[in-house]
C-alpha cells in the first residue's frame, strides 16, 4: 500500500498484519472449539442500552467478561429519507438531510446543497460561503461537545457532561439567532443562504469562541489528563492505519490512527484553502488518540470560525445569495411592485427549479468523518436519486475489529470513542 | 485519463462536473476493481450507491412530459427540451473510490445491471464493502455473488420488497394486522 500521508503507515506498525475478522469483516465469530467448552454465553447489548448512543444493537459472545464474538445489528432508526427525497422538489428535499445526522444537521444540509449547486453550476457569493463555513465549524463544535459529554457519562466523568452541554446550549443559541430554530435550520439554499445573518451574530459568535477556548483546558483535565480516564482509554481499541483505510473509517478515527487525512485540507471545498488551521494527528490508534484528536479539533474549529467571522465583517453589505431569478427567490419587497418577481416566486415555490441532468458525488469533512452526497438528476424538478455516504455506518461495521481481546467494559469505551450516530447510519 | 486504458472490461471513461466515471462490464467488475486497487492505488472505498433508472426517460409521475421525455412545461423550450440520455440497463452500481495518498484522486467505478443480474462482491477487495453491499441489496435488491453474509441491513429481516426501487410505492408498505380488518 503506497500511502504516504505523513508518517503513519511508514512508521512503526501498531500490530503485525491485519485484525479484520474473516470471512465477514463486520462479524467477529467465535471458534467452534471455544463454543464447545460451554463457557461462552450470548448477550444482547442494546438496542435500548444507554451506552449505545441511540438504538445500536450488539450481539455479543462473552467468555466471562471477555468479548469473544461480536456482531452489530442496525436499522432501528431507518426512516427512508432517501426514498422520501425522491418524491419532493429539490427545494423541499433540502429539509430532509438535516434530520439524517441530527447532530451535524447544518453540515448535512450543506453537503446536499453543495451537490445541487455543483449540478446547477451556480456561483455562490463570497459572503454566503464564509457564513456557511462559520456555521459548519460551529456545527462541528456542537457535535463534538455532545459526543464528549456522552463519553463522560459512559466513563463515569459525569461533570464533563454538564460542562459540555452548557457550551452546547450556547452553540444552539447562535443557531437559533441565525436560523430561528435550534437544530433543523434549513438555512442553506441553492445559491446561498435563506436570509442574511442578523447583525449581532458576529459579536455573539466571538463571545462564544472566547468562552469555549477557556473551557477546552478543563475538558482536557477531565479526560486525557485524568488518571482514571487514561486507564480506561490508553491502549484500548487499537486499529492500525492500514486496517482503518481498508475498513473505510474516516475523519477523526482515521487521524487517531496517525493518518494525516482531512478532506478540508486535501480536497478543499468552500474557502478552506484560504484559512489557516492545523490537522491534529495522533499515532497511537487507541481510544485516547481518538479523544485527543476531537478535542484538538474543537480548537482548530474555533480558529477557522474566527477567521470566517473576520471575513463576514469585511464583506458586510455584500450579497448573501446569488442573483439568479430562475433558482433563487426574489426579494420579498419586490413582490408588491413587480409582476415578474411574483411569477418567479410562484413558479419557484410551487414547481421548484430544475437541475441539469447528471450525477455528482460530493464529499465533505463532517464531524464524524467523510460525509458524501451522491445525487442523480434527470433534468426534472425532483431529484432522481439521492444517496448519503454515512460515516457512522462504516465506523459501526469496523467496531468488531477494534473490540477483539477486550473486556466488555472496554467495549463501552471503544464504542464511545468512535463517535457513531444511529440517525446517520440508518438514514 | 490515459491511465485507465488498461482497466479490464472498460466500456467508457466519462468526465462530467469535474468527476471521472469509469464504466466497466459487469462480468469484469472484480478484475477492474483489483486493477484499480493494486495498480492505480485506489485503496479506499468511500461508498457504493445503486440507482434504479426504471422510467428514466419515459413517462413518470409529476410534471415530466410525454413518453419521448419531452416536457412541454419546461420554460423557454416550446417542448423541445432534450430527452435525458437513455441508460443501457435498469440499475447502475457506482463505487466511489479514493486513492488515499499525498495527491488524492477520486473516481467513480460504474457498472450496469438488469433486474435479476448479479454483481460480484468486493468484500475481499475492500472490506468496507461488507455493509455497503448489504445496504444496496436491502434497499435496491441487487444480489452480490460471493458476499459472505448477504442479509438485509436496514429493514427488518422479513421485509418484502426493496424500497428504493422505482416500482416500490411510497406509503405502500405492508401494515401489521391489517388482514384482520
Amino acid at each position: 500500500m503506497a500511502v504516504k500521508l505523513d508518517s503513519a503507515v511508514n512508521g512503526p506498525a501498531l500490530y503485525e498484519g491485519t485484525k479484520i475478522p474473516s470471512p465477514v469483516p463486520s462479524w467477529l465469530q467465535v471458534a467452534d472449539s471455544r463454543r464447545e467448552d460451554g463457557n461462552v454465553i450470548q448477550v444482547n447489548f442494546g438496542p435500548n442500552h444507554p451506552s449505545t448512543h441511540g438504538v445500536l444493537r450488539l450481539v455479543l459472545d462473552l467468555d466471562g467478561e471477555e468479548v469473544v464474538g461480536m456482531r452489530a445489528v442496525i436499522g432501528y432508526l431507518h426512516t427512508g429519507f432517501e426514498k422520501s427525497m425522491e418524491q419532493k422538489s429539490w427545494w423541499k428535499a433540502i429539509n430532509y438531510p438535516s434530520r439524517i445526522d441530527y447532530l451535524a444537521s447544518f453540515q448535512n444540509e450543506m453537503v446536499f446543497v453543495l451537490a445541487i449547486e455543483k449540478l446547477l453550476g451556480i456561483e455562490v457569493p463570497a459572503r454566503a460561503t464564509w457564513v456557511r463555513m462559520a456555521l459548519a465549524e460551529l456545527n462541528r463544535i456542537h457535535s463534538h461537545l455532545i459526543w464528549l459529554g456522552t463519553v463522560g457519562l459512559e466513563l463515569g466523568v459525569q461533570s464533563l457532561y454538564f460542562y459540555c452541554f452548557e457550551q452546547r446550549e450556547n452553540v444552539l443559541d447562535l443557531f437559533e439567532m441565525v436560523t430561528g430554530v435550534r437544530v433543523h435550520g434549513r438555512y442553506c439554499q441553492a445559491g446561498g443562504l435563506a436570509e442574511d445573518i442578523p447583525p449581532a451574530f458576529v459579536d455573539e459568535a466571538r463571545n462564544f469562541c472566547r468562552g469555549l477556548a477557556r473551557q477546552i483546558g478543563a475538558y482536557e483535565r477531565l479526560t486525557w489528563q485524568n488518571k482514571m480516564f487514561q486507564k480506561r482509554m490508553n491502549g484500548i481499541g487499537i486499529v492500525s492505519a492500514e486496517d482503518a483505510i481498508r475498513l473505510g473509517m474516516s475523519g477523526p478515527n482515521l487521524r487517531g490512527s496517525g493518518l494525516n487525512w482531512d478532506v478540508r485540507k486535501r480536497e478543499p471545498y468552500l474557502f478552506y484553502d484560504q484559512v489557516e488551521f492545523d490537522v491534529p494527528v495522533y499515532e497511537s490508534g487507541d481510544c485516547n488518540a481518538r479523544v485527543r484528536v476531537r478535542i484538538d479539533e474543537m480548537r482548530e474549529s474555533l480558529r477557522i470560525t474566527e477567521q470566517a467571522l473576520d471575513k463576514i465583517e469585511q464583506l458586510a453589505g455584500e450579497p448573501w445569495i446569488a442573483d439568479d431569478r430562475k433558482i433563487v427567490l426574489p426579494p420579498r419587497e419586490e413582490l408588491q411592485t413587480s409582476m415578474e418577481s411574483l411569477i418567479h416566486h410562484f413558479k419557484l415555490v410551487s414547481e421548484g427549479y430544475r437541475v441539469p441532468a447528471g450525477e455528482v458525488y460530493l464529499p465533505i469533512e463532517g464531524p464524524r468523518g467523510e460525509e458524501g452526497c451522491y445525487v442523480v438528476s434527470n433534468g426534472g424538478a425532483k431529484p432522481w436519486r439521492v444517496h448519503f455516504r454515512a460515516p457512522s455506518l462504516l465506523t459501526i461495521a469496523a467496531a468488531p475489529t477494534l473490540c477483539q481481546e477486550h473486556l466488555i467494559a472496554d467495549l463501552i469505551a471503544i464504542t464511545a470513542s468512535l463517535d457513531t450516530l444511529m440517525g446517520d447510519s440508518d438514514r | 485519463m490515459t491511465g485507465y486504458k488498461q482497466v479490464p472490461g472498460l466500456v467508457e471513461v466519462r468526465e462530467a462536473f469535474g468527476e471521472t466515471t469509469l464504466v466497466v462490464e459487469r462480468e469484469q467488475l472484480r478484475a477492474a476493481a483489483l486493477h484499480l486497487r493494486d495498480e492505480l492505488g485506489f485503496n479506499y472505498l468511500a461508498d457504493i450507491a445503486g440507482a434504479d433508472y426504471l422510467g428514466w426517460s419515459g413517462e413518470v409521475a409529476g410534471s415530466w412530459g410525454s413518453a419521448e421525455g419531452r416536457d412541454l412545461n419546461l420554460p423557454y423550450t416550446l417542448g423541445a427540451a432534450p430527452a435525458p440520455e437513455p441508460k443501457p440497463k435498469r440499475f447502475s452500481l457506482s463505487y466511489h473510490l479514493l486513492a488515499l495518498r499525498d495527491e488524492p484522486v477520486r473516481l467513480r467505478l460504474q457498472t450496469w445491471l438488469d433486474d435479476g443480474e448479479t454483481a460480484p462482491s468486493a468484500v475481499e477487495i475492500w472490506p468496507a464493502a461488507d455493509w455497503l453491499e448489504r445496504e444496496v441489496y436491502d434497499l435496491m435488491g441487487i444480489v452480490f455473488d460471493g458476499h459472505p453474509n448477504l442479509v438485509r441491513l436496514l429493514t427488518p429481516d422479513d421485509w418484502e420488497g426493496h424500497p428504493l426501487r422505482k416500482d416500490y410505492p411510497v406509503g405502500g408498505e405492508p401494515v401489521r394486522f391489517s388482514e384482520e380488518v
Side-chain angles (χ1 to χ4, degrees):
Chain A
M1 205 186 250
V3 191
K4 250 192 215 154
L5 295 165
D6 295 352
S7 55
V9 179
N10 311 303
L14 291 169
Y15 47 78
E16 289 290 314
T18 173
K19 281 211 298 189
I20 300 175
S22 172
V24 190
S26 63
W27 189 356
L28 183 59
Q29 282 164 309
V30 192
D32 282 341
S33 58
R34 188 146 192 190
R35 210 183 270 286
E36 279 161 15
D37 293 346
N39 291 331
V40 177
I41 55 165
Q42 201 165 55
V43 178
N44 235 334
F45 184 88
N48 284 324
H49 193 280
S51 290
T52 56
H53 285 275
V55 282
L56 170 63
R57 175 175 158 222
L58 300 171
V59 182
L60 302 175
D61 292 298
L62 301 176
D63 185 348
E65 273 198 70
E66 193 191 334
V67 178
V68 291
M70 181 176 170
R71 173 168 68 95
V73 181
I74 65 165
Y76 294 94
L77 216 55
H78 178 60
T79 348
F81 282 120
E82 290 172 4
K83 181 82 173 174
S84 303
M85 286 170 80
E86 289 173 11
Q87 322 301 323
K88 304 285 176 189
S89 64
W90 294 94
W91 174 271
K92 290 174 185 160
I94 301 176
N95 277 309
Y96 286 87
S98 69
R99 270 85 178 165
I100 292 176
D101 185 343
Y102 40 84
L103 297 186
S105 47
F106 183 80
Q107 300 233 9
N108 253 283
E109 186 180 304
M110 192 176 74
V111 69
F112 179 56
V113 170
L114 287 175
I116 299 177
E117 282 165 359
K118 195 170 179 181
L119 280 167
L120 283 170
I122 188 173
E123 189 135 337
V124 180
R127 182 169 153 86
T129 306
W130 285 111
V131 173
R132 282 178 183 185
M133 260 176 79
L135 290 179
E137 292 308 314
L138 287 172
N139 199 203
R140 186 187 314 278
I141 293 170
H142 167 249
S143 173
H144 283 359
L145 280 171
I146 291 192
W147 161 80
L148 191 62
T150 46
V151 166
L153 274 189
E154 279 156 27
L155 299 182
V157 198
Q158 193 126 20
S159 47
L160 186 58
Y161 174 80
F162 296 107
Y163 287 127
C164 290
F165 271 59
E166 183 199 5
Q167 291 296 331
R168 182 235 181 187
E169 282 302 302
N170 295 340
V171 185
L172 288 186
D173 285 346
L174 288 175
F175 271 91
E176 189 178 2
M177 188 179 189
V178 176
T179 67
V181 257
R182 294 172 78 75
V183 184
H184 303 301
R186 203 212 175 278
Y187 189 57
C188 266
Q189 201 83 284
L193 308 169
E195 55 183 35
D196 199 5
I197 52 163
F201 170 76
V202 173
D203 284 340
E204 287 290 321
R206 284 228 171 84
N207 270 342
F208 165 77
C209 290
R210 273 196 294 275
L212 182 65
R214 281 197 297 273
Q215 281 275 336
I216 292 178
Y219 301 154
E220 288 185 313
R221 283 195 293 284
L222 283 166
T223 53
W224 63 270
Q225 294 173 358
N226 172 349
K227 267 265 157 57
M228 301 286 284
F229 196 89
Q230 276 178 12
K231 288 223 159 124
R232 294 286 302 273
M233 292 300 217
N234 276 353
I236 300 296
I238 294 180
V239 60
S240 69
E242 256 181 69
D243 274 359
I245 291 174
R246 285 161 48 110
L247 287 166
M249 292 167 77
S250 52
N253 296 327
L254 216 48
R255 295 192 279 280
S257 290
L259 214 61
N260 187 354
W261 172 261
D262 190 320
V263 181
R264 290 174 293 174
K265 265 282 195 253
R266 304 274 174 178
E267 301 170 305
Y269 54 98
L270 300 181
F271 288 149
Y272 280 109
D273 48 351
Q274 297 179 30
V275 289
E276 274 179 36
F277 69 104
D278 297 319
V279 180
V281 178
Y282 288 91
E283 291 185 0
S284 54
D286 58 358
C287 293
N288 200 28
R290 291 189 281 273
V291 169
R292 292 191 67 175
V293 165
R294 290 204 178 81
I295 294 180
D296 288 359
E297 254 185 36
M298 284 201 253
R299 283 212 178 86
E300 299 304 325
S301 288
L302 286 179
R303 270 176 75 186
I304 301 173
T305 310
E306 277 168 0
Q307 292 173 58
L309 290 173
D310 290 343
K311 292 284 183 182
I312 294 171
E313 266 190 334
Q314 282 172 25
L315 297 172
E318 303 231 337
W320 38 269
I321 192 150
D323 185 23
D324 185 338
R325 291 294 165 86
K326 297 293 166 212
I327 292 154
V328 169
L329 280 183
R332 182 70 188 82
E333 61 273 11
E334 275 186 27
L335 298 188
Q336 319 290 349
T337 52
S338 159
M339 191 61 208
E340 198 161 303
S341 291
L342 196 64
I343 294 169
H344 275 135
H345 187 274
F346 179 74
K347 283 292 269 183
L348 281 175
V349 172
S350 56
E351 185 192 332
Y353 44 80
R354 284 162 187 275
V355 171
E359 53 185 338
V360 291
Y361 174 78
L362 201 127
I364 66 165
E365 183 76 25
R368 258 161 284 283
E370 180 179 318
E371 289 182 355
C373 187
Y374 172 65
V375 178
V376 182
S377 169
N378 66 345
K382 293 173 183 172
W384 181 264
R385 171 91 170 95
V386 186
H387 174 77
F388 283 89
R389 190 254 187 212
S392 299
L393 183 86
L394 290 147
T395 315
I396 296 170
T401 304
L402 277 70
C403 291
Q404 282 171 46
E405 293 164 19
H406 280 308
L407 304 182
I408 190 160
D410 300 333
L411 177 91
I412 311 280
I414 293 168
T415 47
S417 77
L418 286 175
D419 187 15
T420 58
L421 187 83
M422 301 314 294
D424 184 27
S425 69
D426 291 359
R427 279 157 287 152
Chain B
M1 277 281 261
T2 50
Y4 300 132
K5 288 263 161 61
Q6 304 293 324
V7 174
L10 185 70
V11 177
E12 65 166 327
V13 183
R14 216 171 40 232
E15 291 277 343
F17 301 101
E19 296 177 17
T20 312
T21 306
L22 220 61
V23 183
V24 298
E25 285 167 25
R26 181 175 59 97
E27 291 79 10
Q28 295 285 317
L29 184 63
R30 202 186 139 76
L34 273 171
H35 179 88
L36 287 172
R37 186 193 69 175
D38 295 336
E39 309 294 326
L40 301 174
F42 287 95
N43 49 6
Y44 189 91
L45 174 65
D47 194 20
I48 303 179
D52 183 359
Y53 289 93
L54 185 71
W56 166 254
S57 52
E59 204 171 344
V60 291
S63 58
W64 192 253
S66 60
E68 289 78 43
R70 284 162 189 249
D71 183 3
L72 299 170
N73 294 321
L74 194 60
Y76 313 121
T77 61
L78 300 175
E85 213 143 289
K87 300 293 180 186
K89 284 181 176 179
R90 178 171 169 185
F91 295 107
S92 81
L93 204 53
S94 305
Y95 295 70
H96 293 107
L97 306 179
L98 166 65
L100 199 69
R101 54 177 185 236
D102 289 346
E103 297 86 30
V105 185
R106 285 196 189 260
L107 178 72
R108 179 183 301 116
L109 176 66
Q110 196 167 62
T111 191
W112 290 85
L113 318 92
D114 268 329
D115 197 6
E117 290 181 337
T118 59
S121 169
V123 173
E124 280 169 30
I125 303 168
W126 297 288
D130 183 357
W131 277 23
L132 295 173
E133 285 178 357
R134 277 176 66 187
E135 187 197 322
V136 175
Y137 162 69
D138 184 0
L139 301 179
M140 203 60 87
I142 296 171
V143 174
F144 292 90
D145 280 335
H147 189 291
N149 182 32
L150 194 67
V151 291
R152 285 182 181 273
L153 181 70
L154 296 177
T155 56
D157 292 341
D158 55 353
W159 195 260
E160 283 174 27
H162 302 284
L164 280 180
R165 289 189 168 203
K166 287 286 177 188
D167 49 7
Y168 188 94
V170 180
E173 70 268 20
V175 180
R176 264 179 126 182
F177 310 122
S178 59
E179 69 274 13
E180 292 167 15
V181 181

